[in-house]
Amino acid sequence: MPKQHSIPGRIPAMTKAHKLSFAGVATLGAAALAFSLAPADTKASTDAVSAAPAAFSSEHLKVKTVGLSGQLADAQAAAAKKKAADAAATKKAAEAAAAKKAADARKAKEAASRSAQRAAVKPVAAKTYANNLDGWIRQSLDIMKKHGIPGTYDGLHRNIMRESSGNPNAINGWDINAINGVPSIGLLQVIKPTFDAYHVAGTVHSQYNPVANITAAANYAADRYGSIDNVNSAY
């Protein structure tokens, strides 16, 4: 070890060994002082001190347990809230779908009703007839039916063929009626006074018109003989 030189009037420098020795002495002194100041129930105090960490650890776990339980309860409450919200949304969607279905059904029903009303008021197309003897007889029969005048296709056709052979412009210029100035004219050879008296509304007021001639003659025959079907000769 190198030789230390001292300076007069100064305390010699402390070596590492000196410092350790001093610290050890201080520690022992403090311990002695603490021991001398400790109460008689030193063991109980020591036990209490040693037991403190265990009490702190148990309380700490308890707090953590309570925190986990709260989190679990919060999660369950959130899940229940979401489930209720989903159920409400599903119910609302179902109600909306049902309302839309009902509205669509109502609209379809209203549209069908409007179509039915339009169809009901739609004018029926006028019935057409051929411009020949068959068509004239059929049109006359429809008019006769509307006015309650009896007669059949056969009864009309039979008498027409006998009286005029189906010629709407036929004129009888030799019988008594012709001599008296009122010749028989048309399909069923009707004189003017008879035609005027038995003319049926809705037909042309002319003895030469085939439909008007047939209908007026049938009307006269119904009044005189009960029906044109009962006429088998000149009338």
Side-chain angles (χ1 to χ4, degrees):
M1 174 181 297
K3 184 176 179 181
Q4 295 181 354
H5 299 279
S6 61
I7 299 175
R10 294 185 63 182
I11 299 174
M14 295 180 65
T15 65
K16 185 177 182 180
H18 292 158
K19 292 177 180 179
L20 291 175
S21 298
F22 183 78
V25 171
T27 301
L28 290 175
L33 179 62
F35 180 78
S36 62
L37 294 177
D41 194 4
T42 304
K43 185 176 184 306
S45 298
T46 304
D47 292 342
V49 171
S50 62
F56 173 79
S57 177
S58 175
E59 183 65 22
H60 184 64
L61 291 177
K62 180 179 179 181
V63 171
K64 285 191 174 184
T65 302
V66 171
L68 291 175
S69 299
Q71 293 177 9
L72 180 59
D74 291 342
Q76 290 175 342
K81 184 177 180 180
K82 184 178 184 303
K83 184 177 180 181
D86 291 344
T90 300
K91 182 180 179 181
K92 186 175 180 180
E95 291 175 348
K100 184 178 183 303
K101 184 177 180 181
D104 291 343
R106 184 171 59 255
K107 289 180 180 179
K109 184 177 180 181
E110 291 173 352
S113 177
R114 288 193 296 269
S115 297
Q117 291 174 358
R118 286 194 296 269
V121 299
K122 185 178 180 180
V124 178
K127 187 176 180 180
T128 58
Y129 304 90
N131 189 26
N132 54 31
L133 182 58
D134 177 73
W136 301 330
I137 293 175
R138 293 186 184 282
Q139 186 174 358
S140 294
L141 285 170
D142 286 343
I143 297 172
M144 291 162 59
K145 181 178 180 180
K146 181 179 178 181
H147 290 274
I149 301 171
T152 64
Y153 186 99
D154 180 66
L156 291 173
H157 187 271
R158 173 167 43 82
N159 282 283
I160 288 171
M161 295 309 293
R162 185 188 69 250
E163 295 289 340
S164 65
S165 300
N167 179 10
N169 297 314
I171 299 176
N172 185 328
W174 54 267
D175 66 1
I176 188 64
N177 292 316
I179 296 172
N180 292 332
V182 283
S184 301
I185 297 173
L187 291 174
L188 284 171
Q189 293 294 284
V190 183
I191 61 175
K192 183 75 165 63
T194 301
F195 178 82
D196 291 341
Y198 290 93
H199 172 258
V200 177
T203 63
V204 179
H205 200 96
S206 171
Q207 291 169 266
Y208 290 98
N209 180 275
V211 175
N213 188 286
I214 294 172
T215 310
N219 192 24
Y220 165 74
D223 184 46
R224 183 76 180 270
Y225 304 101
S227 171
I228 191 69
D229 294 345
N230 300 329
V231 177
N232 296 297
S233 62
Y235 60 105

